[in-house]
Amino acid sequence: MTEPLSFDVTRLPSPHLNDSHEAWRQTVRAFVDREISPHVNEWDEAGAFPRELHKKAAAAGLIGLGFPEEYGGISDGVDVFHSLIAAEELARAGSGGLVAGLMTHGIGLPPIIALGSEELKQRIAPAVLAGDKLIALCVTEPSGGSDVANLKTKAVKKNGGYIVNGEKTFITSGRRADYLTVAVRTGSGGAGGLSFLLIEADRPGITRTPLKKMGWWMSDTASIHFDDVAVPAENLIGQENAGFAGIVANFNMERLSMAAQAVAFARVCIEDAAAWARDRQTFGKPLAKHQVIRHKFAEMTRMTNATQSYLDHCAWRVMKGESPVAELSLLKVQATRTMEFCAREAMQILGGAGFMRGCRVERIYREVRVMAIGGGSEEIMNDLAARQMGL
Amino acid sequence: MKILVPVKRVIDYNVKVRVKSDQSGVDLANVKMSMNPFDEIAVEEAVRLKEAGTAEEIVAVSIGPEKAQDQLRQALAMGADRAILIKTEETVEPLAVAKLLKKVVEEESPELVILGKQAIDDDSNQTGQMLAALLGWAQGTFASKVNLADGKIDVTREIDGGLQTVSLKLPAIVTTDLRLNEPRYASLPNIMKAKKKPLDVKEIGDYGVDVAPRLETLKVTEPPKREAGVKVESVAELVDKLKNEAGVL
């Protein structure tokens, strides 16, 4: 007898996973089952999750994962697959908003670790990795997101520090964050004039406005306005006008991790649709016995299998120290298309029940667009890949 | 003080158990296995006693297949200091387990053995009690609270109708109930450290104990499926069925 279709059955075995990965999966799964899954519906409706979850996640090792030990991170014996397992298991709760809000430091902190001074790292990283302080990444502006090289928020040198003016938008954890990692223009136009500043969110001149969204309700998303905000020189992250490298430093892990989440969401859709299809009786037999429905499961599984294999391949190359930009771009497209397809098909199988709020598939369906647009839209990803094809 | 914590590898509590087609038992092929949840509570309690400075060393022991090392590693990641696997691919019944544990106790001389009150696979609820009898030690079963001081251990037990507190002289056996504590997660750094902690693998034959099963399983079947109810057309029909079929009126 074969195992019924489920989240675990749709996870292809990977040659890259060892006992420590499996043990880590059990830890994250237990954490999600105890601390997250019972509350996701409630949190999404409330538009927020408790701040203490950051501390609990830090205690379980989720927040420090992949960051250097000397700043309170966990890096000894850790590889990229531990991070992807965390992304995948967090996604199992069926809320991308939770992952985005809980793990915002995953994009906010790396520029500091990659470029920042020792003093800055010591000042910021330990409190963030302990779950005591939240940090958000501020790059996108009302005038543009993907076109990073042309962003407009200005930092002008004055009295040995900087005065910042401008506006950032679609900032994840923007209202809750204690620290903001802000991309600013310090030099001339283009990528060569960009710097990163660490700005404490309580500095005078900062106003933050919440934004309402199609999905990711429990994740706080905000516009942030900077009006003559004074920032000391020691808050400069790395060298002046060399900030673009910090922006790029995030991309590989962000795209891998989003791809891992997207496949996991697709597997959640398969699991919930399969459970429903086995149970629901129509025309005298279970939904799952109708060919038109069965083929949907074959198609969904084909897509998650292919995406998972591609994800393993890309992760393995990143683990070896490569930076396969074109592959990672295509992987992200593949993963969000898979998520989109599975969310659609699972909704068709669930029918009216899927349209009702309070189930994982309904929420995932609402979150498809942010996954396909955020962290590099499908169009930008395809273009980035095509540019490296020698066409 | 040294604490011994036996742990068992069992089918994961989330798995929907399936009976083998030949009715010889439960299908364990490709099924997720975990540490018995009551044993996790036992490990947690031992680790808390160590953190409180009451205990110095925690030894986890499992009797089971080679793969039971996964559960011992989990115990080590939660905070046990070292582990012993007594390897067997055969079914071992509670009495055989208790006899083997008695041998381990004689070798290790712990002052306290904390066990899960039962394993969620066979629900025997016998090993702790049998071990206490074989050793001639005091026992506090179904513990919901444990207080260790001055060579004594007070165990609050969940019994029908309320709580009972017994005071035991050490050495003693404690078995854990669900409400004793909430076990911690094995954090990633501790999972890594656990790989380096000592894990001795022994053969069941090393102990010279008669482990032959006393029970023979005739067959294992699924619980009967609940049948759908009947719809009646009228009150009169309902009354008639209640009178003549159900016999309750």
Side-chain angles (χ1 to χ4, degrees):
Chain A
M1 195 157 116
T2 48
E3 184 95 355
L5 208 50
S6 68
F7 186 79
D8 284 334
V9 166
T10 50
R11 175 64 155 94
L12 291 183
S14 163
H16 308 295
L17 302 187
N18 60 36
D19 290 351
S20 85
H21 296 110
E22 292 306 335
W24 173 233
R25 183 192 300 285
Q26 292 222 15
T27 291
V28 184
R29 182 163 292 195
F31 179 81
V32 168
D33 283 345
R34 197 192 292 171
E35 307 288 351
I36 298 174
S37 290
H39 313 293
V40 275
N41 289 331
E42 186 194 325
W43 291 344
D44 215 37
E45 295 294 336
F49 63 89
R51 191 161 166 138
E52 62 165 346
L53 190 65
H54 290 269
K55 277 217 73 93
K56 288 182 179 175
L62 275 162
I63 305 289
L65 186 68
F67 289 94
E69 303 270 340
E70 59 264 44
Y71 310 114
I74 303 165
S75 56
D76 288 350
V78 169
D79 61 38
V80 58
F81 288 97
H82 290 102
S83 302
L84 296 183
I85 282 170
E88 173 183 344
E89 290 296 324
L90 284 170
R92 193 175 137 264
S95 166
L98 186 278
V99 188
L102 185 62
M103 306 297 277
T104 314
H105 72 291
I107 52 174
L109 196 55
I112 295 178
I113 300 292
L115 309 174
S117 67
E118 189 56 34
E119 182 275 326
L120 196 61
K121 289 186 212 180
Q122 290 291 359
R123 175 149 57 96
I124 306 298
V128 170
L129 296 180
D132 291 326
K133 298 278 186 188
L134 306 188
I135 189 165
L137 179 72
C138 308
V139 176
T140 298
E141 300 184 351
S143 59
S146 303
D147 188 7
V148 171
N150 285 314
L151 55 83
K152 294 186 169 61
T153 297
K154 266 194 130 101
V156 178
K157 265 225 159 104
K158 197 175 174 188
N159 303 333
Y162 295 93
I163 302 293
V164 178
N165 280 288
E167 184 160 1
K168 297 287 176 182
T169 194
F170 309 149
I171 304 306
T172 300
S173 301
R175 287 183 80 216
R176 297 182 310 144
D178 305 289
Y179 300 124
L180 306 170
T181 301
V182 188
V184 292
R185 182 159 304 285
T186 43
S188 54
L194 296 180
S195 303
F196 261 121
L197 285 178
L198 185 279
I199 305 182
E200 293 84 353
D202 55 0
R203 287 194 177 271
I206 295 179
T207 43
R208 306 191 267 186
T209 318
L211 300 172
K212 286 202 163 188
K213 309 180 293 295
M214 176 183 185
W216 274 21
W217 294 343
M218 77 177 77
S219 161
D220 133 47
T221 307
S223 275
I224 306 181
H225 193 79
F226 298 89
D227 185 14
D228 282 336
V229 178
V231 181
E234 59 265 29
N235 279 20
L236 178 69
I237 303 170
Q239 302 295 311
E240 209 171 79
N241 299 329
F244 195 68
I247 296 176
V248 179
N250 272 336
F251 286 161
N252 286 357
M253 253 342 270
E254 187 184 9
R255 285 170 193 162
L256 266 183
S257 164
M258 285 187 79
Q261 276 179 61
V263 193
F265 287 136
R267 286 162 52 210
V268 168
C269 290
I270 295 176
E271 175 169 88
D272 286 359
W276 175 260
R278 278 192 296 268
D279 207 40
R280 171 80 162 170
Q281 301 285 327
T282 55
F283 305 105
K285 56 183 177 180
L287 212 47
K289 297 291 179 196
H290 294 282
Q291 191 181 52
V292 70
I293 299 297
R294 298 164 71 83
H295 285 194
K296 286 185 191 294
F297 285 106
E299 289 281 286
M300 288 193 280
T301 307
R302 173 177 63 76
M303 292 193 59
T304 54
N305 282 355
T307 312
Q308 184 69 53
S309 308
Y310 194 17
L311 172 63
D312 274 354
H313 165 84
C314 291
W316 167 70
R317 289 180 63 183
V318 168
M319 188 173 68
K320 286 199 304 173
E322 289 181 46
S323 186
V325 173
E327 297 298 349
L328 288 168
S329 304
L330 295 177
L331 167 70
K332 183 171 179 285
V333 177
Q334 171 69 23
T336 54
R337 291 269 169 91
T338 298
M339 176 183 171
E340 181 168 27
F341 178 79
C342 293
R344 178 197 192 279
E345 294 299 82
M347 281 292 264
Q348 290 302 114
I349 294 165
L350 286 165
F355 196 60
M356 298 302 113
R357 284 239 286 273
C359 80
R360 295 192 292 181
V361 176
E362 183 269 342
R363 195 164 43 240
I364 289 169
Y365 191 85
R366 281 191 277 111
E367 294 180 347
V368 166
R369 292 272 63 80
V370 66
M371 294 294 282
I373 293 168
S377 70
E378 289 180 359
E379 292 71 17
I380 292 284
M381 294 292 89
N382 277 337
D383 192 56
L384 190 57
R387 273 192 267 155
Q388 301 184 41
M389 289 175 176
L391 294 169
Chain B
M1 184 173 87
K2 189 195 272 189
I3 303 178
L4 186 73
V5 186
V7 300
K8 185 176 184 184
R9 176 182 171 88
V10 298
I11 207 161
D12 187 81
Y13 70 95
N14 277 314
V15 171
K16 195 169 173 291
V17 170
R18 289 191 311 254
V19 171
K20 281 190 200 165
S21 51
D22 65 358
Q23 299 194 325
S24 63
V26 165
D27 191 359
L28 294 180
N30 299 318
V31 169
K32 185 168 184 262
M33 304 293 282
S34 300
M35 189 194 296
N36 176 37
F38 290 107
D39 300 347
E40 279 188 73
I41 295 171
V43 175
E44 175 66 34
E45 199 60 25
V47 174
R48 288 186 189 187
L49 288 169
K50 190 180 170 186
E51 285 170 347
T54 320
E56 283 90 44
E57 192 185 22
I58 302 166
V59 182
V61 57
S62 189
I63 298 154
E66 183 84 38
K67 289 290 281 173
Q69 289 196 24
D70 294 350
Q71 282 63 48
L72 288 171
R73 290 284 173 210
Q74 187 192 338
L76 294 171
M78 288 173 75
D81 298 287
R82 57 192 177 86
I84 303 165
L85 171 65
I86 302 174
K87 214 167 60 174
T88 175
E89 298 297 330
E90 303 300 319
T91 304
V92 273
E93 291 173 357
L95 181 59
V97 173
K99 286 182 192 168
L100 288 163
L101 290 177
K102 176 172 182 270
K103 293 280 182 188
V104 177
V105 166
E106 284 162 5
E107 274 177 15
E108 294 285 342
S109 16
E111 281 181 86
L112 186 60
V113 183
I114 310 180
L115 309 84
K117 71 167 180 178
Q118 67 197 66
I120 61 165
D121 50 1
D122 57 20
D123 277 336
S124 291
N125 188 350
Q126 295 171 350
T127 304
Q129 294 88 330
M130 286 176 167
L131 178 61
L134 290 173
L135 288 166
W137 288 10
Q139 57 177 301
T141 51
F142 317 145
S144 66
K145 197 172 160 217
V146 163
N147 186 26
L148 213 161
D150 311 323
K152 270 191 340 164
I153 182 163
D154 291 342
V155 178
T156 303
R157 313 177 58 226
E158 296 195 356
I159 57 168
D160 290 346
L163 297 174
Q164 175 196 46
T165 303
V166 292
S167 187
L168 314 175
K169 265 193 272 176
L170 293 175
I173 305 285
V174 170
T175 75
T176 63
D177 215 322
L178 210 56
R179 280 155 290 270
L180 180 57
N181 60 50
E182 192 178 36
R184 70 196 59 200
Y185 316 107
S187 73
L188 190 54
N190 289 336
I191 290 171
M192 299 296 181
K193 279 183 212 144
K195 285 179 166 187
K196 298 187 186 104
K197 290 183 179 177
L199 194 165
D200 287 342
V201 180
K202 310 247 171 142
E203 297 295 331
I204 199 164
D206 297 348
Y207 290 87
V209 167
D210 172 17
V211 294
R214 274 25 178 197
L215 303 172
E216 186 191 347
T217 301
L218 300 179
K219 67 171 179 178
V220 177
T221 55
E222 302 254 1
K225 287 219 165 55
R226 209 181 140 184
E227 298 201 6
V230 229
K231 283 185 184 161
V232 293
E233 297 289 335
S234 63
V235 174
E237 195 189 337
L238 173 66
V239 172
D240 176 63
K241 280 187 183 296
L242 289 174
K243 260 189 186 161
N244 299 319
E245 281 182 32
V248 292
L249 285 180

